[in-house]
C-alpha cells in the first residue's frame, strides 16, 4: 500500500471519527433539548392544573354563597308588598345587608396567569391541539364570567337613594340566577379539563 493510499485512508478515518463525534454531539444535544422542553411542559401543565383547581374551589365557594342568598331571597321577596317593592331604597323596610349570610355582591376572582404564561413562552404549542382548544374555551368562558360579575358589581355600586327596592332586588337576582348559572357551567367545564390535563400530565414526564 503506497503512501498516498495510506494518507487517504488516514484522512477518511479522521473524517469519519469527526463526523461521528459531531453526530453524537447533535444527537445528545437534541435529547437534552427535548428533555428540557418536556420538563418545561410538565411544569407548565402542573401550574395550569393548580390554577384551574384554585378556580374550581373559588367557584365552589361562590356557588354555595349565591345559592344560600337565593334561598333567602326566595323567602323574603314574596312577603314584600307592591308598595314596599317600589318604595325608595332609603325608605324601605327591606335592607339587603340584613339578609342572612350576606357578604356583598361577590363573584370569584378567577386566575389565568399560568395559561397566559404558557402562551407567551410558546410552550402551549407542545400541548395536544384539542386540549388547547378546550383550555382556550374555558379561559374565554372565565373572562365572560368575570366581565358579567364586574357588571353586576358596578350596577350595585350605582344604586342610590332615588332607586327603588325592586331595582336592588333585580340586581341581587342577577347574582343569584344568571351569574350562578354561569358558575355552575364553568365549574363543570373545569372538572373535565382538570381530569384531561392530569391524564396528559402523566404521559409527558421526561426521561431521567
Amino acid at each position: 500500500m503506497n503512501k498516498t493510499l495510506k494518507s487517504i485512508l488516514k484522512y477518511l478515518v479522521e473524517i469519519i471519527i469527526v463526523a461521528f463525534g459531531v453526530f453524537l454531539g447533535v444527537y445528545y444535544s437534541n435529547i437534552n433539548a427535548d428533555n428540557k422542553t418536556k420538563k418545561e411542559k410538565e411544569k407548565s401543565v402542573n401550574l395550569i392544573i393548580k390554577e384551574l383547581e384554585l378556580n374550581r374551589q373559588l367557584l365552589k365557594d361562590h356557588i354555595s354563597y349565591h345559592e344560600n342568598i337565593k334561598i333567602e331571597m326566595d323567602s323574603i321577596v314574596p312577603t314584600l308588598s307592591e308598595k314596599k317593592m317600589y318604595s325608595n331604597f332609603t325608605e324601605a323596610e327591606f335592607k339587603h345587608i340584613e339578609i342572612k349570610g350576606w357578604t356583598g355582591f361577590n363573584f370569584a376572582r378567577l386566575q389565568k396567569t399560568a395559561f397566559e404564561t404558557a402562551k407567551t413562552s410558546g410552550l402551549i404549542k407542545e400541548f395536544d391541539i384539542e386540549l388547547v382548544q378546550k383550555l382556550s374555551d374555558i379561559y374565554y368562558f372565565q373572562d365572560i364570567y368575570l366581565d358579567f360579575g364586574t357588571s353586576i358589581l358596578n350596577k350595585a355600586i350605582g344604586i342610590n337613594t332615588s332607586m327603588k327596592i325592586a331595582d336592588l332586588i333585580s340586581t341581587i337576582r342577577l347574582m343569584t340566577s344568571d351569574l350562578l348559572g354561569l358558575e355552575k357551567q364553568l365549574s363543570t367545564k373545569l372538572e373535565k379539563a382538570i381530569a384531561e390535563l392530569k391524564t396528559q400530565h402523566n404521559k409527558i414526564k421526561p426521561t431521567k
Side-chain angles (χ1 to χ4, degrees), residues 23 25 28 35 49 67 80 103 110-111 122-123 129 139 151 173 181 195 199 202:
F23 169 77
Y28 284 109
N35 279 339
I49 289 172
E67 285 181 334
L80 300 176
T103 59
L110 305 178
Q111 304 298 309
L123 280 171
I129 184 63
Y139 280 96
S151 71
R173 290 292 196 197
T199 298
N202 291 330

Side-chain angles (χ1 to χ4, degrees), residues 168-182:
L168 172 61
I169 290 174
S170 175
T171 304
I172 296 175
R173 290 292 196 197
L174 282 175
M175 184 180 73
T176 60
S177 58
D178 297 49
L179 189 66
L180 178 58
L182 281 176

Side-chain angles (χ1 to χ4, degrees), residues 112-168:
K112 62 177 183 178
T113 303
F115 181 64
E116 290 299 323
T117 300
K119 287 198 299 184
T120 55
S121 67
L123 280 171
I124 199 73
K125 68 178 183 293
E126 300 293 330
F127 291 27
D128 177 77
I129 184 63
E130 291 184 2
L131 186 57
V132 172
Q133 291 173 339
K134 288 179 182 178
L135 285 173
S136 297
D137 176 59
I138 286 171
Y139 280 96
Y140 176 70
F141 204 101
Q142 282 191 179
D143 287 340
I144 291 175
Y145 167 77
L146 289 169
D147 288 343
F148 188 54
T150 301
S151 71
I152 293 174
L153 180 60
N154 290 336
K155 190 177 179 68
I157 292 173
I159 294 174
N160 54 54
T161 56
S162 65
M163 296 185 77
K164 310 298 181 185
I165 286 300
D167 298 320
L168 172 61

Side-chain angles (χ1 to χ4, degrees), residues 60-77:
K60 182 179 179 180
D61 294 342
H62 284 79
I63 286 172
S64 178
Y65 170 65
H66 293 150
E67 285 181 334
N68 288 336
I69 297 302
K70 183 179 187 302
I71 291 171
E72 293 297 318
M73 291 299 294
D74 287 345
S75 65
I76 292 172
V77 173

